[in-house]
Amino acid sequence: MKRGDGRKPEDIRPMEITAGVLQKANGSAMVKMGRTIAVAGVFGPRQMFPRRLQQFSRAVLQCRYIMTPFSTDERARPGPSRRSKELSMVINKALSAAVFLEEFPKAAIGVYIDVIQADAGTRTAAINAASVALADAGIPMRDLVAAVAVGKIDGKYVVDLAGPEEELSDCDLPVAVMPRDGRVTLLQMDGDLPPEDVKQLLKIAKEGCAKIYEMEKEALRKRWMK
Ligand code: ADP
């Protein structure tokens, strides 16, 4: 089976990861997954304001995901939306498990992600960009987080759905993992699938994430091992 863009079912889209793209952030990264592009900037650890939001025994991760107005065909409304708030929360949860938050009590770590071009899989591109940006900022982590969305088109399990594929797929299953021990930090699904499908989809998602994980490490090596 060949997909609309010529990929095999198990292929991720052409991907680029660059660490350290922003001068003013403590850590940053840009991720391109096909036509989807996300940029992440990390600030901190820094003092948490307002103080009432401080956590006594750990840092708080403050994630903000947003799509720029020029990221979609129809100019997206600028500013936060219900969707972007929900995704900010989901991304926060997907990353929190990986960060040693307990090393920075009362602090805040700001993770700001702008999707500058959207063609499906923006939450997964955002997680990949943020994960590399956190590592680029030197924040201690258990592991990097790698994320990809998988689906099922014409009875075949496919990795990294592109925009035109989203409508064709029986489901859209974004997954994030910490590949070293295989822990899953994001797993979402809408729709109706037999258990065997879910199992297989999770398996191919993990395989896709393993490829992305290698690219994340390579981007950090390129930036820091000169
Ligand atoms: P994800 O981007 O993580 O796949 P969704 O499933 O919510 O999340 O969105 C799928 C795709 O639909 C996005 O990647 C984007 O290409 C498109 N999209 C989402 N929200 C909007 C919007 N407000 N305007 C135009 N396109 C959008």
Side-chain angles (χ1 to χ4, degrees):
M1 177 223 191
K2 274 254 174 91
R3 295 158 69 179
D5 52 14
R7 279 185 290 157
K8 291 196 281 248
E10 67 276 18
D11 289 346
I12 56 172
R13 288 178 281 183
M15 189 166 180
E16 260 178 60
I17 308 180
T18 316
V21 290
L22 304 175
Q23 215 173 35
K24 314 256 160 146
N26 298 120
S28 60
M30 179 169 71
V31 166
K32 294 187 189 174
M33 296 173 82
R35 282 194 271 271
T36 293
I37 309 175
V39 177
V42 168
F43 293 83
R46 60 186 178 186
Q47 213 174 350
M48 176 69 168
F49 287 111
R51 278 214 207 149
R52 66 187 156 78
L53 296 180
Q54 282 180 350
Q55 293 275 333
F56 188 70
S57 58
R58 62 178 185 91
V60 173
L61 209 59
Q62 295 177 306
C63 285
R64 197 236 44 195
Y65 157 106
I66 209 145
M67 288 205 317
T68 57
F70 49 79
S71 62
T72 54
D73 292 331
E74 289 249 343
R75 180 177 174 277
R77 265 176 75 108
S81 61
R82 256 187 68 138
R83 176 178 175 275
S84 73
K85 283 185 195 152
E86 155 99 22
L87 285 189
S88 298
M89 194 189 74
V90 161
I91 291 165
N92 189 328
K93 295 217 165 122
L95 295 167
S96 288
V99 181
F100 284 106
L101 294 169
E102 58 277 21
E103 288 197 15
F104 306 101
K106 298 185 185 171
I109 299 171
V111 181
Y112 302 95
I113 309 147
D114 279 31
V115 173
I116 58 177
Q117 193 161 277
D119 186 47
T122 61
R123 80 195 64 197
T124 52
I127 290 167
N128 295 329
S131 169
V132 175
L134 282 162
D136 184 49
I139 292 178
M141 295 166 80
R142 289 177 180 83
D143 197 3
L144 292 163
V145 181
V148 79
V150 292
K152 191 178 179 193
I153 300 177
D154 296 335
K156 283 264 181 204
Y157 306 118
V158 294
V159 178
D160 195 11
L161 294 170
E165 290 181 321
E166 274 201 325
E167 279 174 31
L168 306 173
S169 181
D170 296 346
C171 59
D172 179 1
L173 227 110
V175 176
V177 297
M178 292 196 280
R180 210 161 38 187
D181 60 10
R183 290 182 82 86
V184 177
T185 66
L186 170 81
L187 177 60
Q188 296 183 295
M189 195 197 96
D190 293 314
D192 168 21
L193 288 176
E196 184 54 27
D197 278 2
V198 178
K199 212 168 138 190
Q200 287 303 322
L201 283 164
L202 191 54
K203 180 167 173 276
I204 59 159
K206 284 190 168 181
E207 287 162 7
C209 286
K211 294 179 195 166
I212 292 167
Y213 183 57
E214 291 308 315
M215 296 183 71
E216 291 181 349
K217 287 192 287 185
E218 184 54 34
L220 288 162
R221 270 197 292 270
K222 216 165 159 183
R223 160 109 161 113
W224 291 107
M225 309 251 190
K226 283 179 189 146

